[in-house]
PDB file of all heavy atoms in Angstrom:
ATOM      1  N   ASP K 670     -23.659  -3.507   9.284  1.00  0.00           N
ATOM      2  CA  ASP K 670     -23.501  -2.524  10.350  1.00  0.00           C
ATOM      3  C   ASP K 670     -22.024  -2.320  10.602  1.00  0.00           C
ATOM      4  O   ASP K 670     -21.294  -3.267  10.872  1.00  0.00           O
ATOM      5  CB  ASP K 670     -24.178  -3.007  11.630  1.00  0.00           C
ATOM      6  CG  ASP K 670     -25.686  -3.085  11.462  1.00  0.00           C
ATOM      7  OD1 ASP K 670     -26.189  -2.436  10.540  1.00  0.00           O
ATOM      8  OD2 ASP K 670     -26.324  -3.812  12.238  1.00  0.00           O
ATOM      9  N   ARG K 678     -12.658  14.100  20.969  1.00  0.00           N
ATOM     10  CA  ARG K 678     -11.851  14.398  22.146  1.00  0.00           C
ATOM     11  C   ARG K 678     -12.750  14.310  23.382  1.00  0.00           C
ATOM     12  O   ARG K 678     -13.761  14.992  23.472  1.00  0.00           O
ATOM     13  CB  ARG K 678     -11.261  15.800  22.040  1.00  0.00           C
ATOM     14  CG  ARG K 678     -10.402  16.194  23.244  1.00  0.00           C
ATOM     15  CD  ARG K 678      -9.879  17.604  23.062  1.00  0.00           C
ATOM     16  NE  ARG K 678      -9.110  18.030  24.210  1.00  0.00           N
ATOM     17  CZ  ARG K 678      -7.811  17.834  24.345  1.00  0.00           C
ATOM     18  NH1 ARG K 678      -7.155  17.219  23.405  1.00  0.00           N
ATOM     19  NH2 ARG K 678      -7.167  18.249  25.408  1.00  0.00           N
ATOM     20  N   GLY K 796     -12.197  -6.950  12.318  1.00  0.00           N
ATOM     21  CA  GLY K 796     -11.072  -7.841  12.038  1.00  0.00           C
ATOM     22  C   GLY K 796     -10.071  -7.335  11.039  1.00  0.00           C
ATOM     23  O   GLY K 796      -9.150  -8.069  10.665  1.00  0.00           O
ATOM     24  N   GLY K 821      -1.504  -9.102  -7.817  1.00  0.00           N
ATOM     25  CA  GLY K 821      -0.231  -8.559  -7.375  1.00  0.00           C
ATOM     26  C   GLY K 821      -0.107  -8.615  -5.867  1.00  0.00           C
ATOM     27  O   GLY K 821      -1.080  -8.826  -5.155  1.00  0.00           O
ATOM     28  N   GLU K 823       1.386  -6.029  -4.174  1.00  0.00           N
ATOM     29  CA  GLU K 823       1.597  -4.673  -3.676  1.00  0.00           C
ATOM     30  C   GLU K 823       0.419  -4.197  -2.829  1.00  0.00           C
ATOM     31  O   GLU K 823       0.619  -3.558  -1.783  1.00  0.00           O
ATOM     32  CB  GLU K 823       1.827  -3.717  -4.845  1.00  0.00           C
ATOM     33  CG  GLU K 823       3.219  -3.777  -5.441  1.00  0.00           C
ATOM     34  CD  GLU K 823       3.505  -5.110  -6.152  1.00  0.00           C
ATOM     35  OE1 GLU K 823       2.522  -5.780  -6.570  1.00  0.00           O
ATOM     36  OE2 GLU K 823       4.679  -5.464  -6.295  1.00  0.00           O
ATOM     37  N   PHE K 905       9.236   9.170   7.758  1.00  0.00           N
ATOM     38  CA  PHE K 905      10.306   8.419   8.421  1.00  0.00           C
ATOM     39  C   PHE K 905       9.990   6.925   8.428  1.00  0.00           C
ATOM     40  O   PHE K 905      10.872   6.087   8.198  1.00  0.00           O
ATOM     41  CB  PHE K 905      10.473   8.933   9.853  1.00  0.00           C
ATOM     42  CG  PHE K 905      11.539   8.224  10.641  1.00  0.00           C
ATOM     43  CD1 PHE K 905      12.868   8.300  10.284  1.00  0.00           C
ATOM     44  CD2 PHE K 905      11.210   7.480  11.761  1.00  0.00           C
ATOM     45  CE1 PHE K 905      13.848   7.657  10.996  1.00  0.00           C
ATOM     46  CE2 PHE K 905      12.170   6.833  12.495  1.00  0.00           C
ATOM     47  CZ  PHE K 905      13.498   6.919  12.114  1.00  0.00           C
ATOM     48  N   GLY K1032      25.608  -5.319 -32.900  1.00  0.00           N
ATOM     49  CA  GLY K1032      26.459  -4.415 -32.148  1.00  0.00           C
ATOM     50  C   GLY K1032      25.979  -2.992 -32.140  1.00  0.00           C
ATOM     51  O   GLY K1032      26.038  -2.325 -31.131  1.00  0.00           O
ATOM     52  N   THR K1051      11.757 -19.610 -24.931  1.00  0.00           N
ATOM     53  CA  THR K1051      11.905 -20.174 -26.281  1.00  0.00           C
ATOM     54  C   THR K1051      10.956 -21.335 -26.504  1.00  0.00           C
ATOM     55  O   THR K1051      11.270 -22.243 -27.281  1.00  0.00           O
ATOM     56  CB  THR K1051      13.361 -20.637 -26.480  1.00  0.00           C
ATOM     57  OG1 THR K1051      13.663 -21.634 -25.502  1.00  0.00           O
ATOM     58  CG2 THR K1051      14.330 -19.481 -26.363  1.00  0.00           C
ATOM     59  N   PHE K1084       7.932  -7.652 -29.719  1.00  0.00           N
ATOM     60  CA  PHE K1084       6.566  -8.150 -29.605  1.00  0.00           C
ATOM     61  C   PHE K1084       5.751  -7.646 -30.790  1.00  0.00           C
ATOM     62  O   PHE K1084       5.748  -6.446 -31.084  1.00  0.00           O
ATOM     63  CB  PHE K1084       5.919  -7.695 -28.295  1.00  0.00           C
ATOM     64  CG  PHE K1084       6.688  -8.108 -27.069  1.00  0.00           C
ATOM     65  CD1 PHE K1084       7.551  -7.213 -26.454  1.00  0.00           C
ATOM     66  CD2 PHE K1084       6.556  -9.375 -26.548  1.00  0.00           C
ATOM     67  CE1 PHE K1084       8.257  -7.587 -25.335  1.00  0.00           C
ATOM     68  CE2 PHE K1084       7.270  -9.759 -25.431  1.00  0.00           C
ATOM     69  CZ  PHE K1084       8.115  -8.867 -24.821  1.00  0.00           C
ATOM     70  N   SER K1110      -5.399 -10.615  -2.988  1.00  0.00           N
ATOM     71  CA  SER K1110      -5.044 -10.232  -4.358  1.00  0.00           C
ATOM     72  C   SER K1110      -4.905  -8.728  -4.452  1.00  0.00           C
ATOM     73  O   SER K1110      -5.734  -7.978  -3.924  1.00  0.00           O
ATOM     74  CB  SER K1110      -6.107 -10.717  -5.350  1.00  0.00           C
ATOM     75  OG  SER K1110      -7.373 -10.205  -5.017  1.00  0.00           O
ATOM     76  N   GLU K1213     -17.032  11.493   1.434  1.00  0.00           N
ATOM     77  CA  GLU K1213     -16.271  12.034   0.320  1.00  0.00           C
ATOM     78  C   GLU K1213     -15.393  13.182   0.829  1.00  0.00           C
ATOM     79  O   GLU K1213     -15.419  13.556   1.999  1.00  0.00           O
ATOM     80  CB  GLU K1213     -17.222  12.523  -0.771  1.00  0.00           C
ATOM     81  CG  GLU K1213     -18.208  11.475  -1.255  1.00  0.00           C
ATOM     82  CD  GLU K1213     -17.555  10.367  -2.038  1.00  0.00           C
ATOM     83  OE1 GLU K1213     -16.422  10.575  -2.522  1.00  0.00           O
ATOM     84  OE2 GLU K1213     -18.162   9.289  -2.183  1.00  0.00           O
ATOM     85  N   SER K1244     -31.972   1.342  34.161  1.00  0.00           N
ATOM     86  CA  SER K1244     -32.269   2.162  32.999  1.00  0.00           C
ATOM     87  C   SER K1244     -31.132   2.103  31.986  1.00  0.00           C
ATOM     88  O   SER K1244     -31.352   1.984  30.780  1.00  0.00           O
ATOM     89  CB  SER K1244     -32.498   3.596  33.441  1.00  0.00           C
ATOM     90  OG  SER K1244     -33.366   4.267  32.587  1.00  0.00           O
ATOM     91  N   CYS K1314     -28.635  37.185  36.861  1.00  0.00           N
ATOM     92  CA  CYS K1314     -27.370  36.525  37.157  1.00  0.00           C
ATOM     93  C   CYS K1314     -26.619  37.268  38.253  1.00  0.00           C
ATOM     94  O   CYS K1314     -26.055  36.664  39.168  1.00  0.00           O
ATOM     95  CB  CYS K1314     -26.502  36.444  35.900  1.00  0.00           C
ATOM     96  SG  CYS K1314     -27.192  35.407  34.624  1.00  0.00           S
ATOM     97  N   GLU K1321     -28.149  35.358  47.986  1.00  0.00           N
ATOM     98  CA  GLU K1321     -28.987  34.178  47.808  1.00  0.00           C
ATOM     99  C   GLU K1321     -30.311  34.619  47.222  1.00  0.00           C
ATOM    100  O   GLU K1321     -30.981  35.502  47.733  1.00  0.00           O
ATOM    101  CB  GLU K1321     -29.207  33.477  49.162  1.00  0.00           C
ATOM    102  CG  GLU K1321     -29.978  32.180  49.009  1.00  0.00           C
ATOM    103  CD  GLU K1321     -30.104  31.455  50.318  1.00  0.00           C
ATOM    104  OE1 GLU K1321     -29.495  31.943  51.297  1.00  0.00           O
ATOM    105  OE2 GLU K1321     -30.784  30.430  50.378  1.00  0.00           O
ATOM    106  N   MET K1333     -36.733  32.165  32.153  1.00  0.00           N
ATOM    107  CA  MET K1333     -36.012  32.874  31.105  1.00  0.00           C
ATOM    108  C   MET K1333     -35.035  31.955  30.376  1.00  0.00           C
ATOM    109  O   MET K1333     -34.863  32.049  29.165  1.00  0.00           O
ATOM    110  CB  MET K1333     -35.264  34.070  31.699  1.00  0.00           C
ATOM    111  CG  MET K1333     -36.185  35.153  32.247  1.00  0.00           C
ATOM    112  SD  MET K1333     -35.268  36.397  33.128  1.00  0.00           S
ATOM    113  CE  MET K1333     -34.136  36.869  31.846  1.00  0.00           C
ATOM    114  N   ASP K1347     -35.378   7.961  35.726  1.00  0.00           N
ATOM    115  CA  ASP K1347     -34.880   6.597  35.880  1.00  0.00           C
ATOM    116  C   ASP K1347     -35.585   5.632  34.938  1.00  0.00           C
ATOM    117  O   ASP K1347     -35.410   4.422  35.038  1.00  0.00           O
ATOM    118  CB  ASP K1347     -35.010   6.121  37.332  1.00  0.00           C
ATOM    119  CG  ASP K1347     -36.468   6.162  37.799  1.00  0.00           C
ATOM    120  OD1 ASP K1347     -37.253   6.877  37.156  1.00  0.00           O
ATOM    121  OD2 ASP K1347     -36.782   5.473  38.784  1.00  0.00           O
ATOM    122  N   ARG K1395     -14.175   6.490  41.593  1.00  0.00           N
ATOM    123  CA  ARG K1395     -13.675   7.204  40.419  1.00  0.00           C
ATOM    124  C   ARG K1395     -12.653   6.349  39.700  1.00  0.00           C
ATOM    125  O   ARG K1395     -11.763   5.766  40.318  1.00  0.00           O
ATOM    126  CB  ARG K1395     -13.055   8.543  40.826  1.00  0.00           C
ATOM    127  CG  ARG K1395     -14.022   9.525  41.445  1.00  0.00           C
ATOM    128  CD  ARG K1395     -15.060   9.984  40.436  1.00  0.00           C
ATOM    129  NE  ARG K1395     -14.453  10.757  39.381  1.00  0.00           N
ATOM    130  CZ  ARG K1395     -14.318  12.080  39.383  1.00  0.00           C
ATOM    131  NH1 ARG K1395     -14.772  12.770  40.422  1.00  0.00           N
ATOM    132  NH2 ARG K1395     -13.769  12.705  38.369  1.00  0.00           N
ATOM    133  N   LEU K1396     -12.762   6.267  38.383  1.00  0.00           N
ATOM    134  CA  LEU K1396     -11.834   5.493  37.565  1.00  0.00           C
ATOM    135  C   LEU K1396     -10.894   6.440  36.823  1.00  0.00           C
ATOM    136  O   LEU K1396     -11.310   7.496  36.336  1.00  0.00           O
ATOM    137  CB  LEU K1396     -12.593   4.638  36.539  1.00  0.00           C
ATOM    138  CG  LEU K1396     -13.527   3.556  37.077  1.00  0.00           C
ATOM    139  CD1 LEU K1396     -14.146   2.785  35.923  1.00  0.00           C
ATOM    140  CD2 LEU K1396     -12.792   2.602  38.011  1.00  0.00           C
ATOM    141  N   PRO K1421     -30.158  -3.087  40.738  1.00  0.00           N
ATOM    142  CA  PRO K1421     -30.650  -2.274  39.619  1.00  0.00           C
ATOM    143  C   PRO K1421     -31.145  -0.907  40.035  1.00  0.00           C
ATOM    144  O   PRO K1421     -31.293  -0.015  39.187  1.00  0.00           O
ATOM    145  CB  PRO K1421     -31.784  -3.124  39.040  1.00  0.00           C
ATOM    146  CG  PRO K1421     -32.186  -4.052  40.135  1.00  0.00           C
ATOM    147  CD  PRO K1421     -30.943  -4.312  40.932  1.00  0.00           C
ATOM    148  N   ASN K1441     -29.607  25.582  11.932  1.00  0.00           N
ATOM    149  CA  ASN K1441     -29.581  26.319  10.667  1.00  0.00           C
ATOM    150  C   ASN K1441     -28.231  26.270   9.977  1.00  0.00           C
ATOM    151  O   ASN K1441     -28.024  26.956   8.969  1.00  0.00           O
ATOM    152  CB  ASN K1441     -29.968  27.786  10.902  1.00  0.00           C
ATOM    153  CG  ASN K1441     -31.407  27.930  11.349  1.00  0.00           C
ATOM    154  OD1 ASN K1441     -32.280  27.201  10.877  1.00  0.00           O
ATOM    155  ND2 ASN K1441     -31.657  28.852  12.270  1.00  0.00           N
ATOM    156  N   ASN K1476     -25.476  10.229   8.106  1.00  0.00           N
ATOM    157  CA  ASN K1476     -26.265  11.366   7.644  1.00  0.00           C
ATOM    158  C   ASN K1476     -25.516  12.241   6.654  1.00  0.00           C
ATOM    159  O   ASN K1476     -26.099  13.184   6.114  1.00  0.00           O
ATOM    160  CB  ASN K1476     -26.700  12.229   8.833  1.00  0.00           C
ATOM    161  CG  ASN K1476     -27.448  11.449   9.883  1.00  0.00           C
ATOM    162  OD1 ASN K1476     -26.892  11.113  10.934  1.00  0.00           O
ATOM    163  ND2 ASN K1476     -28.702  11.120   9.616  1.00  0.00           N
ATOM    164  N   LEU K1477     -24.249  11.956   6.421  1.00  0.00           N
ATOM    165  CA  LEU K1477     -23.436  12.769   5.516  1.00  0.00           C
ATOM    166  C   LEU K1477     -22.953  11.998   4.305  1.00  0.00           C
ATOM    167  O   LEU K1477     -22.176  12.536   3.509  1.00  0.00           O
ATOM    168  CB  LEU K1477     -22.231  13.347   6.274  1.00  0.00           C
ATOM    169  CG  LEU K1477     -22.556  14.369   7.369  1.00  0.00           C
ATOM    170  CD1 LEU K1477     -21.326  14.727   8.159  1.00  0.00           C
ATOM    171  CD2 LEU K1477     -23.175  15.625   6.761  1.00  0.00           C
TER     172      LEU K1477
END
Side-chain angles (χ1 to χ4, degrees):
D670 294 340
R678 180 181 177 89
E823 282 68 24
F905 179 65
T1051 60
F1084 303 98
S1110 57
E1213 305 291 341
S1244 209
C1314 295
E1321 185 176 355
M1333 294 172 56
D1347 59 340
R1395 296 294 294 268
L1396 297 182
N1441 294 323
N1476 305 103
L1477 294 172

